């Protein structure tokens, strides 16, 4: 009993120390989280304006360590993707219901080219039965006040190793070696999903020069035929169709067309991805805005386009920051790594065929 006061005193000091240590740990985690949020906010508000843009060959932007960390996989088949393009690139028919259904079924199995194409078709009002792509793409995620961080990460492809940005670049690195059409198609589709449009279009054209692949040619023919990241041009689309019918769709036969002399690509901020592009495609198709590339575009309609783009960007950013506030430190670190990679890719200033519209 004589030692009881001493024991109580020891217990008091121990409990005080543990409590203070716990508070210190919590404060440290809060500070770490705030630092991550601040860097994310800074990155997403950056406007990357490249200087000294030069013409040059495509090069892999990944380190050897990054390439070694990725295991590339392919869809079981590209049939659904290719079949849709074959149908839609004909002027005398719509996409059949069966073809539309097969495309959406392939999206279920995480077929990235099919997901990209289904989004492009649905939001440009060319695929009535592609409505399910809204769910598969997480289209309205930023409006959901209770959306978990996992939904935001899925918009970018998931974890860093499965992100559209990293996979797109990894497939490009491989395509430059293999000269394989499938590698170029996977690189193009992943980069487009990541919002890295300029790189994606250059990859598509590089793939056509390297492989003369018909899936890539069909993809280009499709992109030129509606308002997307590049200029809609019906005359060029018609020429591409004629060259194909004649069997003269080699790279040198179409790259000399006036359309490709000064090819420019619409691309947005680091935070942007396929969702923002889908919103703008929908509004262009509905006549709410004109593409900046439209032959009837004026300074006023161009301003309306950028105002609408800024409006959607603001909504998406607000939704993202709301989600990020409730994310764990690990989740924030993953998202930040994806944004840093996108920034690095956007800062590439040498491309062979197309540049970013300014």
């Amino acid at each position: 009993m004589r030692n009881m006061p001493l024991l109580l005193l020891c217990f008091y000091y121990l409990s005080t120390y543990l409590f203070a240590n716990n508070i210190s740990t919590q404060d440290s985690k809060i500070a770490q989280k705030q630092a991550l949020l601040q860097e994310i906010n800074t990155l997403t508000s950056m406007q990357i304006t490249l200087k000294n843009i030069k013409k040059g060959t495509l090069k892999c932007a990944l380190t050897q360590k990054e390439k070694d960390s990725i295991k590339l996989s392919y869809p079981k088949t590209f049939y659904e993707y290719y079949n849709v393009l074959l149908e839609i690139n004909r002027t005398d028919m719509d996409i059949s219901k069966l073809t539309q259904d097969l495309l959406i079924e392939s999206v279920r199995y995480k077929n990235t080219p099919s997901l990209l194409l289904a989004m492009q078709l649905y939001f440009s009002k060319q695929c009535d039965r592609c409505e399910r792509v809204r769910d598969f793409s997480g289209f309205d995620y930023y409006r959901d006040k209770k959306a978990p961080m996992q939904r935001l990460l899925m918009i970018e492809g998931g974890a860093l190793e499965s992100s559209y940005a990293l996979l797109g670049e990894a497939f490009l690195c491989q395509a430059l070696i293999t000269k394989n059409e499938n590698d170029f198609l996977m690189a193009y589709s992943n980069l487009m999903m990541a919002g890295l449009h300029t790189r994606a279009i250059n990859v598509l054209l590089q793939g056509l020069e390297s492989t003369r692949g018909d899936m890539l040619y069909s993809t280009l023919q499709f992109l030129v035929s509606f308002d997307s990241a590049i200029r809609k041009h019906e005359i060029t689309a018609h020429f591409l169709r004629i060259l194909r019918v004649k069997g003269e769709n080699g790279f040198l036969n179409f790259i000399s067309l006036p359309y490709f002399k000064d090819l420019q690509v619409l691309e947005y901020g680091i935070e942007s991805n396929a969702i923002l592009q889908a919103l703008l495609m929908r509004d262009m198709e509905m006549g709410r805005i004109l593409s900046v590339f439209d032959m009837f575009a004026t300074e006023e309609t161009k301003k309306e386009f950028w105002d609408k783009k800024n409006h959607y960007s603001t909504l998406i950013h607000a939704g993202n920051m709301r989600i990020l506030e409730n994310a764990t430190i690990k989740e924030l670190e993953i998202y930040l790594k994806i944004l840093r990679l996108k920034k690095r890719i956007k800062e590439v200033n040498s491309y062979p065929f197309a540049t970013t519209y300014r």
Side-chain angles (χ1 to χ4, degrees):
M1 295 294 292
R2 201 178 297 174
N3 294 328
M4 185 61 71
L6 182 59
L7 288 172
L8 289 173
L9 186 62
C10 290
F11 177 76
Y12 169 77
Y13 281 121
L14 179 61
S15 61
T16 302
Y17 168 78
L18 291 174
F19 178 75
N21 189 57
N22 184 53
I23 293 295
S24 177
T25 301
Q26 289 181 358
D27 288 345
S28 177
K29 287 183 177 180
I30 291 172
Q32 185 181 0
K33 185 171 181 177
Q34 288 304 313
L36 290 169
L37 287 170
Q38 181 59 47
E39 185 174 354
I40 289 171
N41 196 41
T42 300
L43 272 176
T44 55
S45 62
M46 287 180 66
Q47 295 294 326
I48 297 177
T49 304
L50 298 178
K51 297 179 181 180
N52 301 320
I53 299 172
K54 53 190 176 182
K55 203 172 185 69
T57 58
L58 273 176
K59 296 179 181 178
C60 175
L62 298 182
T63 65
Q64 190 60 49
K65 183 178 179 180
E66 287 172 324
K67 288 188 285 186
D68 291 342
S69 69
I70 306 163
K71 184 177 181 180
L72 298 178
S73 61
Y74 302 82
K76 288 185 177 180
T77 174
F78 293 101
Y79 168 79
E80 298 88 354
Y81 175 87
Y82 186 35
N83 197 41
V84 169
L85 291 175
L86 290 178
E87 290 192 15
I88 201 166
N89 284 336
R90 291 179 56 181
T91 58
D92 59 343
M93 64 183 294
D94 296 324
I95 310 171
S96 68
K97 291 180 179 180
L98 176 59
T99 300
Q100 293 181 44
D101 290 342
L102 288 173
L103 179 68
I104 288 299
E105 188 62 25
S106 70
V107 173
R108 284 180 190 273
Y109 295 100
K110 299 182 179 180
N111 183 318
T112 302
S114 291
L115 173 59
L116 172 65
L117 182 57
M119 291 183 71
Q120 291 170 329
L121 290 169
Y122 177 71
F123 290 106
S124 62
K125 308 296 182 182
Q126 300 180 75
C127 182
D128 296 335
R129 298 170 73 88
C130 291
E131 187 174 4
R132 289 294 305 280
V133 80
R134 293 176 66 97
D135 300 326
F136 295 135
S137 65
F139 178 70
D140 290 327
Y141 81 96
Y142 63 94
R143 297 181 181 276
D144 185 355
K145 293 183 178 181
K146 296 182 180 180
M149 183 63 190
Q150 196 57 36
R151 285 189 68 186
L152 174 54
L153 289 175
M154 287 307 298
I155 299 301
E156 296 288 351
L160 175 64
E161 294 75 16
S162 61
S163 66
Y164 294 124
L166 187 59
L167 287 180
E169 195 61 28
F171 273 112
L172 169 59
C173 297
Q174 179 157 297
L176 293 174
I177 298 170
T178 64
K179 309 297 183 185
N180 182 280
E181 181 182 25
N182 292 348
D183 288 331
F184 279 109
L185 181 63
M186 291 298 290
Y188 154 79
S189 57
N190 276 281
L191 290 168
M192 283 293 284
M193 288 297 296
L196 300 165
H197 301 160
T198 305
R199 198 156 183 80
I201 296 302
N202 277 281
V203 166
L204 179 63
L205 291 169
Q206 182 68 64
L208 280 163
E209 183 180 42
S210 301
T211 72
R212 195 181 172 179
D214 200 56
M215 275 196 300
L216 298 177
Y217 190 87
S218 298
T219 300
L220 179 64
Q221 189 179 338
F222 166 67
L223 289 177
V224 174
S225 68
F226 78 109
D227 287 317
S228 59
I230 57 177
R231 179 163 59 108
K232 174 182 178 180
H233 200 255
E234 293 180 1
I235 294 175
T236 299
H238 179 67
F239 269 117
L240 291 174
R241 194 177 301 114
I242 290 174
L243 289 173
R244 182 186 201 150
V245 170
K246 289 184 175 181
E248 299 174 358
N249 54 328
F251 182 78
L252 294 178
N253 287 337
F254 75 79
I255 200 64
S256 59
L257 293 172
Y259 178 88
F260 297 99
K261 290 297 183 185
D262 184 25
L263 185 59
Q264 293 186 307
V265 186
L266 284 171
E267 187 169 313
Y268 315 110
I270 294 171
E271 192 174 26
S272 70
N273 48 47
I275 303 301
L276 177 58
Q277 180 63 16
L279 287 164
L280 293 171
M281 280 193 300
R282 181 193 64 184
D283 283 4
M284 285 188 282
E285 181 60 31
M286 295 177 72
R288 294 174 178 171
I289 53 174
L290 281 181
S291 168
V292 296
F293 296 136
D294 194 282
M295 62 183 298
F296 296 110
T298 63
E299 291 304 314
E300 183 180 353
T301 63
K302 289 178 181 179
K303 182 179 182 301
E304 289 173 352
F305 178 93
W306 293 115
D307 285 348
K308 182 63 74 172
K309 173 262 170 187
N310 291 335
H311 168 70
Y312 286 135
S313 294
T314 300
L315 289 178
I316 291 170
H317 180 67
N320 287 354
M321 293 308 294
R322 185 173 58 244
I323 294 170
L324 291 166
E325 288 286 348
N326 297 315
T328 65
I329 289 175
K330 184 177 180 180
E331 289 171 333
L332 291 175
E333 288 173 338
I334 293 171
Y335 187 60
L336 182 56
K337 287 177 181 177
I338 293 172
L339 294 181
R340 285 173 179 164
L341 176 60
K342 290 173 72 171
K343 176 178 179 291
R344 194 206 314 171
I345 294 173
K346 281 178 175 288
E347 289 174 339
V348 172
N349 69 342
S350 176
Y351 281 115
F353 306 112
T355 57
T356 304
Y357 175 84
R358 303 296 179 194

